Amino acid sequence: MRVFLICNSSSSYLLPPPTPTTTAHRPLKPLLATPQKPSFIRSLTGAALSFNLLFFSPLSPLPPPSIASDISSSVSQLECREEDRLLEEERRVQQAPELVTNEEIVKEAWEIVNDSFLGTGRNRWSPEAWLQKKEDIIGTSLQTRSKAHDVIRRMLSSLGDPYTRFLSPGEFSKMARYDMSGIGVNLREIPDENGEVKLKVLGLILDGPAHAAGVRQGDELLSVNGINVKGKSAFEALSILQGPSDTSVNIMVKHGSCGPVQSVEVQRQLVAKTPVFYRLEQTDNGKTSVGYMRLKEFNALARKDLVTAMKRLQGMGASFFVLDLRDNLGGLVQEGIEIAKLFLNEGETVIYTAGREPESVKSIVAETVPLITAPVIVLVNKNTASASEIVATALHDNCRAILVGEKTYGKGLIQSVFELHDGSGVVVTVGKYVTPNHLDINGNGIDPDYKKLPAWNEVVERLSKCQMQHSKET
């Protein structure tokens, strides 16, 4: 089963996305949310697709005691061969969906919801009601795969969650093939024997730039432009891989699990436009310099280009900043999280993620000092959603910015996309985002501090009082 973590969009339609947004995990490790009216794929909360093995077989038995002295030299080769064999087994099973019965497909979908679904609507989900649903379905005749898919659709529809839904094999395939790297690869995070993360190519676009340059399924990514990526997340590696279209990137790959290491030059084909517009404005008859930054969406270039804008505006003498998130419906939630960190002190909370179980609440915090410390105004409106709301509340709740404009959209759900064994899939709501001040974003939105722009001295005073109150509480 493959599992992708995403953030949901304000629509449940699946359309070819103009900009990427995916990330993936297994089991559920909430990362990501989005609300994009045209396509929920734009709200995929991560950075790369992650493909998990469908079946696991026992490792080959160890050699007898008489040759135990040779174990240390051969164990790595055994592990390499076994890993390659498992990958081949996964590909074989994916190519033979007829091996799975209609009843097994329906049961698989039922179990995913049973294990993972977070009910957020008026009709609260209960294990008892869901178990009854399974018992009702058991007696249903499932003569065709189409009938099984229809049963899954009705089963998911009964949950009353518009974002939990079925994906046909064709719809799921479009998502799995979607390239966010710009060179035609998808990456999977795999822990090694020491618990460190290594990145494997578990998704390759045929005749794409990487494939044409010699990269193959199962290769391990070792470095990008000389930067060692071992221990880095797929998102971090992705941010290094990406760049302007028609430029090249050097990657070091290890073929298979035991093959040779090769340095490969790959031509990028990423078509991502900068979402950042910025300018320096003078107010108070030229006495105050304000750095204005407009962020249209959270795509792969958002953080990098916003850092450039912030540094240039600082160099031009900006003493205050305006971050305009109006009509920004979201995008890559991880980009939003990383952008929020640019304004926060080390250890301050960006957002909380919450799942079905109370103990599943986790916090995401800033790890470094802020890039700027000047007062900030964040402009918001009714179309400020998902990743934009994460950024706005992170800055607001940590006393780094005030919010000006209209109440925000209110979209803070997290979905995972699970592949079923016949190549179809289910999108399931598995969590939600909660602000640093413990406000549930979803369905509520965020109220602004002001409807119209206040004077900067008022902004400074309000943030100062907020920080003093914050210090007392902590």
Coordinates of all heavy atoms in Angstrom, one line a residue, residues 6-10 21 31-37 40 42-45 298 325 327-337 340 350-351 380-394 408-415 433-435 441-443 445-446:
I6 N -1.5 14.6 2.5 CA -1.8 15.8 1.8 C -2.6 16.7 2.7 O -3.0 16.4 3.8 CB -2.6 15.5 0.5 CG1 -4.0 15.0 0.9 CG2 -1.9 14.5 -0.3 CD1 -4.9 14.9 -0.3
C7 N -2.8 17.9 2.2 CA -3.7 18.9 2.9 C -4.8 19.1 1.9 O -4.6 19.2 0.8 CB -3.0 20.2 3.1 SG -1.9 20.0 4.4
N8 N -6.0 19.3 2.5 CA -7.1 19.2 1.6 C -7.4 20.6 1.0 O -7.1 21.6 1.5 CB -8.3 18.6 2.2 CG -9.1 19.6 2.9 OD1 -8.9 19.9 4.1 ND2 -10.1 20.2 2.3
S9 N -8.1 20.5 -0.1 CA -8.4 21.7 -0.8 C -9.9 22.0 -0.6 O -10.6 21.2 0.0 CB -8.2 21.6 -2.3 OG -9.3 21.4 -3.0
S10 N -10.3 23.2 -1.0 CA -11.7 23.5 -0.7 C -12.6 22.8 -1.7 O -13.8 23.0 -1.7 CB -11.9 25.1 -0.9 OG -11.5 25.5 -2.1
T21 N 2.1 19.7 -5.3 CA 2.0 19.7 -3.8 C 1.9 18.3 -3.2 O 0.8 18.0 -2.7 CB 0.8 20.5 -3.4 OG1 -0.4 20.0 -4.0 CG2 0.9 22.0 -3.6
L31 N 1.7 16.0 8.3 CA 2.7 17.0 7.9 C 1.9 18.2 7.4 O 2.3 19.3 7.6 CB 3.6 16.6 6.8 CG 4.8 15.8 7.2 CD1 5.6 15.5 6.0 CD2 5.6 16.7 8.1
L32 N 1.1 17.7 6.5 CA 0.5 18.7 5.6 C -0.9 18.8 5.5 O -1.5 17.9 5.4 CB 0.9 18.3 4.2 CG 1.4 17.0 3.4 CD1 2.0 16.9 2.2 CD2 2.3 16.4 3.4
A33 N -1.6 20.7 4.9 CA -3.0 21.0 4.5 C -3.1 22.0 3.4 O -2.3 22.8 3.2 CB -3.9 21.5 5.7
T34 N -4.3 22.1 2.6 CA -4.4 23.1 1.6 C -5.9 23.3 1.2 O -6.6 22.4 1.1 CB -3.8 22.7 0.2 OG1 -4.8 21.9 -0.4 CG2 -2.5 22.0 0.3
P35 N -6.2 24.4 0.7 CA -7.5 24.6 0.1 C -7.3 25.3 -1.2 O -7.2 26.5 -1.3 CB -8.2 25.5 1.0 CG -7.2 26.1 1.9 CD -5.9 25.4 1.6
Q36 N -7.5 24.6 -2.3 CA -7.4 25.2 -3.6 C -8.6 24.8 -4.3 O -8.9 23.6 -4.5 CB -6.2 24.6 -4.3 CG -4.9 25.0 -3.8 CD -4.4 26.2 -4.5 OE1 -5.2 27.0 -5.0 NE2 -3.2 26.5 -4.5
K37 N -9.4 25.7 -4.8 CA -10.6 25.4 -5.4 C -10.5 24.5 -6.6 O -11.2 23.6 -6.8 CB -11.4 26.6 -5.8 CG -12.8 26.3 -6.2 CD -13.8 27.2 -5.6 CE -15.2 26.7 -5.8 NZ -16.2 27.5 -5.1
F40 N -7.5 19.5 -5.5 CA -7.0 19.1 -4.2 C -5.5 18.7 -4.3 O -4.8 18.7 -3.3 CB -7.8 18.0 -3.5 CG -7.4 16.6 -3.9 CD1 -6.4 16.0 -3.2 CD2 -8.0 16.0 -4.9 CE1 -6.0 14.7 -3.5 CE2 -7.7 14.7 -5.2 CZ -6.7 14.1 -4.5
R42 N -3.1 20.4 -5.5 CA -2.3 21.5 -5.2 C -2.0 21.6 -3.7 O -1.1 22.3 -3.2 CB -2.9 22.8 -5.7 CG -3.1 22.8 -7.2 CD -3.8 24.1 -7.5 NE -3.0 25.3 -7.1 CZ -2.4 26.1 -7.9 NH1 -2.5 25.9 -9.2 NH2 -1.7 27.1 -7.5
S43 N -2.9 20.9 -2.9 CA -2.7 21.0 -1.5 C -2.0 19.9 -0.9 O -1.9 19.7 0.3 CB -4.1 21.1 -0.8 OG -4.9 20.1 -1.2
L44 N -1.4 19.1 -1.6 CA -0.6 18.0 -1.1 C 0.5 18.5 -0.2 O 1.2 19.4 -0.6 CB 0.0 17.2 -2.2 CG -0.9 16.5 -3.1 CD1 -0.2 15.6 -4.2 CD2 -1.8 15.6 -2.4
T45 N 0.4 18.1 1.0 CA 1.2 18.6 2.1 C 2.6 18.1 2.1 O 3.0 18.0 3.0 CB 0.8 18.5 3.4 OG1 1.4 18.4 4.2 CG2 0.8 19.2 3.4
F298 N 1.9 28.9 -2.2 CA 3.0 28.2 -1.6 C 3.5 27.1 -2.6 O 3.2 25.9 -2.4 CB 2.6 27.7 -0.3 CG 2.3 28.7 0.8 CD1 1.1 29.3 0.9 CD2 3.4 29.2 1.6 CE1 0.9 30.3 1.8 CE2 3.1 30.2 2.5 CZ 1.9 30.8 2.6
L325 N -1.1 38.0 2.2 CA -1.6 36.7 1.9 C -3.0 36.7 1.4 O -3.7 35.6 1.4 CB -1.4 35.8 3.2 CG 0.0 35.6 3.7 CD1 -0.1 34.8 5.0 CD2 0.9 34.9 2.7
D327 N -6.1 36.3 -0.9 CA -6.4 35.4 -2.0 C -5.3 34.3 -2.2 O -5.2 33.7 -3.3 CB -6.5 36.3 -3.3 CG -7.6 37.3 -3.2 OD1 -8.7 36.9 -2.7 OD2 -7.5 38.4 -3.6
N328 N -4.5 34.0 -1.2 CA -3.6 32.9 -1.3 C -4.3 31.7 -0.7 O -4.5 31.6 0.5 CB -2.3 33.2 -0.5 CG -1.3 32.2 -0.6 OD1 -1.6 31.0 -0.8 ND2 0.0 32.6 -0.6
L329 N -4.7 30.8 -1.6 CA -5.5 29.6 -1.1 C -4.6 28.5 -0.6 O -5.1 27.4 -0.2 CB -6.3 29.1 -2.3 CG -7.4 30.0 -2.8 CD1 -8.1 29.5 -4.1 CD2 -8.5 30.1 -1.7
G330 N -3.3 28.6 -0.6 CA -2.5 27.6 0.0 C -1.5 27.0 -1.0 O -0.9 27.7 -1.8
G331 N -1.3 25.7 -1.0 CA -0.3 25.0 -1.8 C 0.4 24.0 -1.0 O -0.1 23.2 -0.3
L332 N 1.8 24.0 -1.1 CA 2.6 23.1 -0.3 C 2.6 23.6 1.1 O 3.2 24.6 1.4 CB 4.0 23.1 -0.9 CG 4.3 22.4 -2.2 CD1 5.7 22.7 -2.7 CD2 4.1 20.9 -2.0
V333 N 2.0 22.8 2.0 CA 2.0 23.2 3.4 C 3.3 23.3 4.0 O 3.6 24.1 4.9 CB 1.0 22.3 4.2 CG1 1.1 22.5 5.6 CG2 -0.4 22.6 3.7
Q334 N 4.2 22.3 3.6 CA 5.6 22.3 4.2 C 6.3 23.6 3.9 O 7.0 24.1 4.7 CB 6.4 21.1 3.7 CG 7.7 21.0 4.4 CD 7.6 20.7 5.8 OE1 6.6 20.1 6.3 NE2 8.5 21.1 6.6
E335 N 6.0 24.2 2.7 CA 6.6 25.5 2.3 C 6.0 26.6 3.3 O 6.8 27.4 3.8 CB 6.2 25.9 0.9 CG 7.0 25.2 -0.2 CD 8.4 25.8 -0.3 OE1 8.6 27.0 -0.4 OE2 9.4 25.0 -0.3
G336 N 4.7 26.5 3.6 CA 4.2 27.4 4.6 C 4.8 27.3 5.9 O 5.1 28.3 6.6
I337 N 5.0 26.1 6.4 CA 5.7 25.9 7.7 C 7.1 26.5 7.7 O 7.5 27.1 8.7 CB 5.7 24.4 8.0 CG1 4.3 23.9 8.3 CG2 6.6 24.1 9.2 CD1 4.1 22.4 8.4
A340 N 6.9 30.3 7.8 CA 6.6 30.8 9.1 C 7.9 30.8 10.0 O 8.1 31.7 10.8 CB 5.5 29.9 9.8
V350 N 5.1 26.6 15.5 CA 4.5 27.0 14.2 C 3.0 26.6 14.2 O 2.1 27.4 13.9 CB 5.3 26.4 13.0 CG1 4.6 26.8 11.7 CG2 6.7 26.9 13.1
I351 N 2.8 25.3 14.5 CA 1.4 24.7 14.4 C 1.4 23.4 15.2 O 2.5 22.8 15.4 CB 1.0 24.5 12.9 CG1 -0.5 24.4 12.8 CG2 1.8 23.3 12.3 CD1 -1.2 25.7 12.9
V380 N -4.9 39.7 5.3 CA -5.7 38.4 5.0 C -7.1 38.8 4.6 O -7.5 39.9 4.8 CB -5.8 37.6 6.3 CG1 -4.4 37.1 6.8 CG2 -6.4 38.4 7.5
N381 N -7.7 37.8 3.9 CA -9.1 38.0 3.5 C -9.8 36.7 3.5 O -9.3 35.7 4.0 CB -9.3 38.8 2.2 CG -8.8 38.0 1.0 OD1 -8.3 36.8 1.1 ND2 -8.8 38.6 -0.2
K382 N -11.0 36.6 3.0 CA -11.8 35.4 3.1 C -11.3 34.3 2.2 O -11.6 33.1 2.4 CB -13.3 35.7 2.6 CG -13.4 36.2 1.1 CD -14.8 36.5 0.8 CE -14.9 37.0 -0.7 NZ -16.3 37.3 -1.0
N383 N -10.3 34.6 1.3 CA -9.7 33.6 0.5 C -8.3 33.2 1.0 O -7.5 32.6 0.3 CB -9.6 34.0 -1.0 CG -11.0 34.1 -1.6 OD1 -11.8 33.3 -1.3 ND2 -11.2 35.1 -2.4
T384 N -7.9 33.7 2.2 CA -6.7 33.3 2.8 C -6.9 31.9 3.5 O -7.7 31.8 4.4 CB -6.2 34.3 3.8 OG1 -6.0 35.6 3.2 CG2 -4.9 33.9 4.5
A385 N -6.3 30.9 3.0 CA -6.6 29.5 3.4 C -5.4 28.6 3.6 O -4.4 28.8 3.0 CB -7.6 28.9 2.5
S386 N -5.6 27.6 4.4 CA -4.7 26.5 4.6 C -3.3 26.9 5.0 O -3.1 27.4 6.1 CB -4.7 25.6 3.4 OG -4.0 24.4 3.6
A387 N -2.3 26.7 4.1 CA -1.0 27.1 4.4 C -0.9 28.6 4.8 O 0.0 28.9 5.6 CB -0.1 26.8 3.2
S388 N -1.7 29.4 4.1 CA -1.7 30.8 4.4 C -2.1 31.1 5.9 O -1.6 31.9 6.6 CB -2.6 31.6 3.5 OG -2.1 31.6 2.2
E389 N -3.1 30.3 6.3 CA -3.6 30.4 7.7 C -2.6 29.9 8.7 O -2.5 30.5 9.8 CB -5.0 29.7 7.8 CG -6.1 30.3 7.0 CD -7.4 29.5 7.0 OE1 -7.4 28.4 6.5 OE2 -8.4 30.0 7.6
I390 N -1.8 28.9 8.3 CA -0.8 28.4 9.2 C 0.3 29.5 9.4 O 0.7 29.8 10.5 CB -0.1 27.2 8.6 CG1 -1.1 26.0 8.7 CG2 1.2 26.8 9.3 CD1 -0.6 24.7 8.0
V391 N 0.7 30.2 8.3 CA 1.7 31.3 8.4 C 1.1 32.4 9.2 O 1.7 32.9 10.2 CB 2.1 31.7 7.0 CG1 3.0 33.0 7.2 CG2 2.8 30.6 6.3
A392 N -0.1 32.8 8.9 CA -0.7 34.0 9.6 C -0.9 33.8 11.1 O -0.5 34.6 11.9 CB -2.1 34.3 9.0
T393 N -1.3 32.6 11.5 CA -1.5 32.3 12.9 C -0.2 32.1 13.6 O -0.1 32.5 14.8 CB -2.5 31.1 13.1 OG1 -1.9 30.0 12.5 CG2 -3.8 31.4 12.6
A394 N 0.8 31.5 13.0 CA 2.1 31.3 13.6 C 2.7 32.6 14.0 O 3.2 32.8 15.1 CB 3.0 30.5 12.7
T408 N -10.4 34.8 7.8 CA -9.9 33.9 6.8 C -10.8 32.8 6.5 O -11.9 32.6 7.1 CB -8.5 33.3 7.3 OG1 -8.8 32.6 8.5 CG2 -7.6 34.5 7.6
Y409 N -10.5 31.9 5.5 CA -11.3 30.9 5.0 C -11.7 29.8 6.0 O -12.9 29.4 6.1 CB -10.6 30.2 3.8 CG -11.5 29.2 3.0 CD1 -12.2 29.6 2.0 CD2 -11.4 27.9 3.4 CE1 -13.0 28.7 1.3 CE2 -12.2 26.9 2.7 CZ -12.9 27.3 1.6 OH -13.7 26.4 1.0
G410 N -10.7 29.3 6.7 CA -11.0 28.3 7.7 C -10.8 26.9 7.2 O -11.8 26.1 7.2
K411 N -9.6 26.5 6.7 CA -9.4 25.2 6.2 C -8.1 24.6 6.8 O -7.0 25.1 6.6 CB -9.2 25.3 4.6 CG -9.1 23.9 4.0 CD -10.3 23.0 4.2 CE -11.5 23.6 3.6 NZ -12.7 22.8 3.8
G412 N -8.3 23.6 7.6 CA -7.2 23.1 8.3 C -7.2 21.6 8.5 O -6.8 21.1 9.5
L413 N -7.7 20.9 7.5 CA -7.8 19.4 7.6 C -6.6 18.8 6.9 O -6.0 19.3 5.9 CB -9.1 18.9 7.0 CG -10.4 19.2 7.7 CD1 -11.5 18.6 6.9 CD2 -10.3 18.8 9.1
I414 N -6.2 17.6 7.3 CA -5.1 16.8 6.7 C -5.7 15.5 6.2 O -6.4 14.8 6.8 CB -4.0 16.5 7.8 CG1 -3.5 17.7 8.5 CG2 -2.9 15.7 7.1 CD1 -2.7 17.4 9.7
Q415 N -5.3 15.2 4.9 CA -5.8 14.0 4.3 C -4.5 13.1 4.0 O -3.4 13.6 3.8 CB -6.5 14.2 3.0 CG -8.0 14.5 3.2 CD -8.2 15.9 3.5 OE1 -7.6 16.8 3.0 NE2 -9.2 16.1 4.5
Y433 N -5.1 20.8 11.7 CA -4.1 21.7 12.3 C -4.8 22.6 13.3 O -5.9 23.0 13.2 CB -3.6 22.6 11.1 CG -2.7 21.9 10.2 CD1 -3.0 21.5 9.0 CD2 -1.4 21.6 10.7 CE1 -2.2 20.8 8.1 CE2 -0.5 20.9 9.8 CZ -0.9 20.6 8.6 OH 0.0 19.9 7.8
V434 N -4.0 22.8 14.4 CA -4.4 23.6 15.5 C -3.4 24.7 15.7 O -2.2 24.4 15.7 CB -4.6 22.8 16.8 CG1 -5.1 23.7 18.0 CG2 -5.6 21.7 16.6
T435 N -3.8 26.0 15.9 CA -2.9 27.1 16.0 C -2.1 27.0 17.3 O -2.4 26.3 18.2 CB -3.6 28.4 15.9 OG1 -4.3 28.6 17.1 CG2 -4.6 28.4 14.7
I441 N -8.5 25.6 13.3 CA -8.7 26.5 12.1 C -9.9 26.0 11.3 O -10.7 26.9 10.8 CB -7.4 26.4 11.2 CG1 -6.2 27.0 11.9 CG2 -7.7 27.2 9.9 CD1 -4.9 26.9 11.2
N442 N -10.1 24.7 11.2 CA -11.1 24.2 10.2 C -12.5 24.6 10.6 O -13.0 24.4 11.7 CB -11.0 22.7 10.1 CG -11.7 22.2 8.9 OD1 -11.4 22.5 7.8 ND2 -12.8 21.4 9.1
G443 N -13.1 25.2 9.6 CA -14.5 25.6 9.8 C -14.7 26.9 10.6 O -15.8 27.4 10.7
G445 N -11.9 29.6 10.7 CA -11.2 30.8 10.2 C -10.5 31.6 11.3 O -10.7 31.3 12.5
I446 N -9.8 32.6 10.9 CA -9.1 33.5 11.9 C -9.6 34.9 11.8 O -9.6 35.5 10.7 CB -7.6 33.4 11.6 CG1 -7.1 32.0 11.5 CG2 -6.8 34.2 12.7 CD1 -7.3 31.1 12.7

